[in-house]
């Protein structure tokens, strides 16, 4: 396979990948929800679905509560005493926009979008119902993790019918994992029953991005039978999720960031979704088992809330399979080691752009034996062109005889006509894996290279790298002057670098850098290989 045909195959694979990518995002039919019923009529419909800091709670004349601020070295949370909902989470180490010096806001409750983390106690003696939410009392309005302090615990207290409920938020230094505990002291004189729940409520929105960089915004969950599965807002509108599982978690994903409720992993939980068409919101959550607390007894129910960036190693320690929210797609088995290699090199060179260049060099070095075999095969094929032309003239339209004689010739000359395919087939999965690494790895967000490239995860603002990449493809094409018999195919091949350059205008700058460096290395390798072949008499320039 000559390099021009290789380029055509690569273009077809590349365009097919983009089309498949968009189809997966927009046209893939939603899965049928797995539906189960817990014993005792434990249905998610009992969970309050109207509570929000900006939504009036009906029936009990309660008003919006006080807003309490909790801050660690990484997080700043805003919590409403009405229900104890987390209505805002600011990520102090991540800018909202490049060099904005404004913390990125993940959870939020505004006129434009509702994205909050709710939790509480429901059931027979629950304090959160559709009629109203618990109104907690807090001794203070602002709490901050002090220097030298590794943990900040803030109790929210509610007393009802002789029972004291304490909802305790625990922030830990260096962690986006927020502990949410319910301490229940039953001094009512009779046994009570409660069920914990936690849910993420989000305005119904469409996934964003473009054909080159589509991004998913929607739900996901993990259960005992399914390690990780997306469950989009459109899925939620079509079918309410209801799964009984031990362990597991629920989450809402967006580009580079995730919020997730992780219930008690030793308990039997129900994962569910709810939709509120009136308020244009959907909720994905969990409901824990019924807990009976005897008179005079105390009980603690635990859960945790992750609200932060998709940090794979930290999320893996919080819950099984939570790190899979960094979704590399089918190329995960290449993307994961590739990301580890990138991270290792970045720690040495302290620049993600240089790390990408180093990884490109390593990949090309690994593929070099196959690349050499590719160009050797191409050179031999060129040597056979006169004989093949003679056969075409001799056999004319007898395609079967022509094919038989060509295969015989290949066998006699020990030429593999598909010798150039393997490097190409290996290169495309590596490219796709690196593509998903840039799409999913938050470590590359706002990562600078040099000069005008201040964010390798975003497109080149001046399109310099895509233009250089297109130029390198054009040069690579011109250095492989194998004649193409079909004039139409010749025209298509001439436009191929321009087509690639057009698509790459919207790709992350880091990915374009990889492709550009890969092309430059290929040009050097091709020259070295051809010169070696010329010395051996296997290749003659035309």
């Amino acid at each position: 396979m000559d390099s021009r045909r290789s380029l055509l195959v690569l273009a077809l694979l590349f365009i097919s990948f983009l089309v498949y990518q968009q189809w997966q995002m927009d046209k893939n039919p939603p899965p049928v929800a797995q539906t189960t019923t817990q014993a005792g009529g434990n249905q998610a419909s009992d969970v309050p679905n109207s509570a929000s800091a900006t939504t009036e709670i009906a029936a009990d004349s309660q008003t919006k509560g006080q807003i309490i601020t909790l801050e660690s070295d990484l997080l700043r949370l805003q919590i409403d005493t009405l229900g104890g909902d987390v209505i805002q989470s600011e990520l102090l180490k991540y800018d909202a926009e490049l060099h904005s010096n404004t913390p990125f806001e993940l959870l939020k409750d505004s006129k434009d979008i509702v994205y909050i983390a709710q939790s509480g106690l429901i059931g027979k003696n629950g304090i959160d119902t559709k009629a109203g939410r618990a109104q907690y009392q807090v001794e203070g309005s602002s709490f901050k993790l002090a220097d030298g302090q590794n943990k900040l615990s803030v109790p929210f207290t509610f007393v009802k019918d002789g029972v004291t409920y304490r909802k305790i938020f625990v922030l830990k230094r260096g962690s986006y994992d927020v502990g949410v505990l319910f301490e229940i002291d039953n001094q009512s004189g009779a046994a009570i029953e409660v069920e914990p729940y936690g849910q993420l409520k989000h305005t119904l929105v469409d996934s964003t991005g473009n054909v080159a960089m589509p991004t998913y915004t929607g739900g996901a969950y993990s259960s005992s039978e399914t390690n990780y599965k997306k469950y989009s807002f459109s899925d939620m509108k079509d079918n309410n999720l209801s799964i009984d599982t031990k362990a597991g978690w629920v989450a809402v994903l967006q580009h580079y960031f995730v919020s997730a409720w992780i219930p008690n992993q030793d308990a039997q939980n129900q994962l569910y979704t709810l939709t509120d068409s009136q308020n244009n919101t959907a909720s994905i959550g969990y409901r824990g088992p019924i807990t009976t607390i005897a008179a005079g007894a105390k009980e603690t129910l635990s859960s945790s809330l992750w609200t932060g960036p998709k940090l794979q190693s930290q999320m893996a320690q919080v819950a099984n399979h939570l790190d899979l929210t960094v979704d590399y797609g089918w190329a995960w088995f290449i993307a994961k080691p590739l990301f580890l290699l990138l991270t290792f090199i970045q720690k040495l060179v302290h620049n993600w752009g240089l790390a990408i260049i180093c990884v490109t060099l390593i990949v090309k070095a690994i593929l070099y034996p196959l690349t050499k075999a590719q160009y050797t095969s191409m050179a031999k094929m060129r040597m056979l062109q006169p004989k093949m032309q003679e056969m075409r003239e001799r056999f004319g339209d007898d395609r079967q005889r022509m094919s038989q004689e060509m295969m015989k010739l290949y066998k006699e000359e020990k030429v593999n006509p598909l010798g150039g395919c393997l490097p190409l087939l290996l290169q495309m999965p590596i490219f796709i894996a690196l593509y998903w690494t840039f799409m999913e790895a938050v470590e590359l967000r706002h990562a600078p290279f040099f000069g005008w490239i201040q964010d390798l995860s975003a497109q080149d603002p001046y399109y310099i790298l895509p233009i250089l990449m297109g130029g390198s493809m054009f040069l690579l094409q011109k250095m492989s002057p194998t004649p193409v018999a079909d004039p139409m195919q010749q025209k298509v091949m001439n436009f191929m670098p321009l087509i690639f350059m057009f698509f790459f205008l919207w790709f992350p700058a880091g990915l374009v850098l990889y492709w550009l460096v890969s092309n430059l290395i290929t040009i050097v390798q091709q020259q070295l290989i051809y010169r070696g072949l010329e010395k051996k008499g296997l290749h003659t320039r035309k």
Side-chain angles (χ1 to χ4, degrees), residues 357-378:
I357 293 174
C358 291
V359 166
T360 310
L361 289 167
I362 292 172
V363 169
K364 297 298 287 186
I366 293 173
L367 295 179
Y368 180 74
L370 296 174
T371 302
K372 185 177 181 179
Q374 174 188 11
Y375 287 113
T376 301
S377 177
M378 288 167 54

Side-chain angles (χ1 to χ4, degrees), residues 500-515:
F500 264 71
M501 184 184 71
F502 175 78
F503 276 115
F504 273 74
L505 293 177
W506 290 275
F507 269 67
L511 194 64
V512 184
L513 176 65
Y514 166 80
W515 198 274

Side-chain angles (χ1 to χ4, degrees), residues 191-205:
I192 62 172
E193 293 181 354
V194 296
E195 301 167 56
Y197 82 95
Q199 65 182 19
L200 296 161
K201 177 181 289 186
H202 200 292
T203 300
L204 291 168
V205 297

Side-chain angles (χ1 to χ4, degrees), residues 168-432:
I168 304 173
F169 290 89
V170 182
L171 277 68
K172 291 155 282 190
R173 183 174 295 278
S175 177
Y176 294 94
D177 178 30
V178 180
V180 182
L181 312 176
F182 285 96
E183 290 185 354
I184 307 165
D185 184 1
N186 181 14
Q187 300 300 321
S188 66
I192 62 172
E193 293 181 354
V194 296
E195 301 167 56
Y197 82 95
Q199 65 182 19
L200 296 161
K201 177 181 289 186
H202 200 292
T203 300
L204 291 168
V205 297
D206 296 326
S207 295
T208 57
N210 53 52
V211 68
M213 295 179 62
T215 58
Y216 174 78
T217 300
Y221 69 88
S222 176
S223 68
S224 55
E225 295 184 354
T226 304
N227 292 344
Y228 167 76
K229 189 174 182 64
K230 289 180 179 177
Y231 207 78
S232 69
F233 292 134
S234 61
D235 296 341
M236 297 179 197
K237 287 190 290 185
D238 292 338
N239 297 288
N240 277 332
L241 181 72
S242 180
I243 299 176
D244 284 340
T245 178
K246 189 173 183 179
W249 45 262
V250 292
V252 170
L253 315 181
Q254 66 186 65
H255 199 195
Y256 296 126
F257 302 98
V258 58
S259 291
W261 274 114
I262 302 99
N264 183 348
Q265 298 294 280
D266 295 323
Q268 190 75 12
N269 300 294
Q270 181 194 32
L271 310 183
Y272 67 85
T273 61
L274 296 170
T275 54
D276 183 353
S277 57
Q278 182 177 356
N279 293 305
N280 195 38
T281 60
S283 301
I284 183 168
Y286 79 89
R287 182 169 181 167
I290 298 172
T291 300
T292 302
I293 305 169
K298 296 181 180 180
E299 186 72 38
T300 300
L301 306 176
S302 62
S303 64
S304 65
L305 170 69
W306 177 281
T307 177
K310 296 178 181 178
L311 299 175
Q312 299 172 59
S313 59
Q314 292 188 30
M315 289 191 295
Q317 296 175 5
V318 172
N320 289 335
H321 313 304
L322 187 59
D323 58 317
L324 296 182
T325 55
V326 181
D327 190 354
Y328 292 129
W330 64 265
W332 62 268
F333 61 96
I334 303 174
K336 281 195 171 183
L338 201 59
F339 173 73
L340 292 176
L341 179 61
L342 264 174
T343 304
F344 173 76
I345 295 175
Q346 192 275 336
K347 290 179 180 178
L348 298 177
V349 300
H350 305 289
N351 184 290
W352 284 103
L354 293 178
I356 291 169
I357 293 174
C358 291
V359 166
T360 310
L361 289 167
I362 292 172
V363 169
K364 297 298 287 186
I366 293 173
L367 295 179
Y368 180 74
L370 296 174
T371 302
K372 185 177 181 179
Q374 174 188 11
Y375 287 113
T376 301
S377 177
M378 288 167 54
K380 290 182 177 180
M381 289 290 289
R382 287 185 187 136
M383 292 175 60
L384 296 179
Q385 287 298 317
K387 293 184 179 180
M388 293 173 66
Q389 183 62 34
E390 181 184 346
M391 278 194 260
R392 291 190 187 97
E393 295 173 356
R394 192 188 336 157
F395 299 113
D397 295 333
D398 190 347
R399 294 184 178 274
Q400 183 176 358
R401 180 70 185 278
M402 175 70 180
S403 177
Q404 291 174 348
E405 292 296 325
M406 285 180 63
M407 294 306 296
K408 181 180 178 181
L409 179 63
Y410 292 153
K411 187 175 181 180
E412 290 175 352
E413 298 293 337
K414 297 180 181 181
V415 173
N416 180 7
L418 300 179
C421 290
L422 187 57
L424 182 64
L425 294 177
L426 288 176
Q427 184 178 342
M428 198 60 188
I430 293 172
F431 169 79
I432 293 173

Side-chain angles (χ1 to χ4, degrees), residues 98 450-467 504-510:
L98 185 64
F450 73 91
W452 74 99
I453 302 296
Q454 292 299 305
D455 185 358
L456 286 164
S457 69
Q459 66 189 61
D460 184 335
Y462 303 112
Y463 307 115
I464 295 174
L465 287 180
I467 292 172
F504 273 74
L505 293 177
W506 290 275
F507 269 67

Side-chain angles (χ1 to χ4, degrees), residues 52-66:
S52 166
T54 59
T55 304
E56 183 177 352
I57 304 300
D60 64 350
S61 69
Q62 289 180 330
T63 60
K64 180 178 177 180
Q66 181 184 3

